[in-house]
Amino acid sequence: VVPTSTCILEIRVISNQRVNIRSEPNTSSKIARGVDPGKKLFFVGYNKDKTWIQVGQNEWVFAQLVGVPECSR
């Protein structure tokens, strides 16, 4: 995981469909939960090639399905 700054970063689901949160950064891993369009998630960091975003402990979402991380105050 590539670390981020000290502010709390959030991302929003931009897909028009429910997205899967996975246990590892790949489509073969177990689905941990689903998230509806427009919902916010906490940004933890990226995988090495920045194709997946970590949103919790052992929770990953494909980066193209969410917006750019924004600092939440």
Side-chain angles (χ1 to χ4, degrees), residues 44-58:
V44 177
Y46 290 103
N47 67 336
K48 190 173 181 178
D49 64 2
K50 295 189 176 184
T51 54
W52 289 81
I53 294 174
Q54 188 174 7
V55 294
Q57 187 174 359
N58 301 320

Side-chain angles (χ1 to χ4, degrees), residues 14-25:
I14 59 172
S15 171
N16 61 359
Q17 297 178 340
R18 188 173 175 88
V19 301
N20 292 325
I21 304 299
R22 301 217 174 239
S23 60
E24 296 178 30

Side-chain angles (χ1 to χ4, degrees), residues 19-40:
V19 301
N20 292 325
I21 304 299
R22 301 217 174 239
S23 60
E24 296 178 30
N26 63 64
T27 56
S28 300
S29 64
K30 179 182 173 188
I31 297 172
R33 61 187 170 112
V35 179
D36 292 324
K39 295 292 182 181
K40 291 182 181 179

Side-chain angles (χ1 to χ4, degrees), residues 41-72:
L41 300 165
F42 289 110
F43 177 90
V44 177
Y46 290 103
N47 67 336
K48 190 173 181 178
D49 64 2
K50 295 189 176 184
T51 54
W52 289 81
I53 294 174
Q54 188 174 7
V55 294
Q57 187 174 359
N58 301 320
E59 291 189 327
W60 297 84
V61 64
F62 188 58
Q64 292 181 5
L65 301 176
V66 295
V68 176
E70 296 181 4
C71 194
S72 172

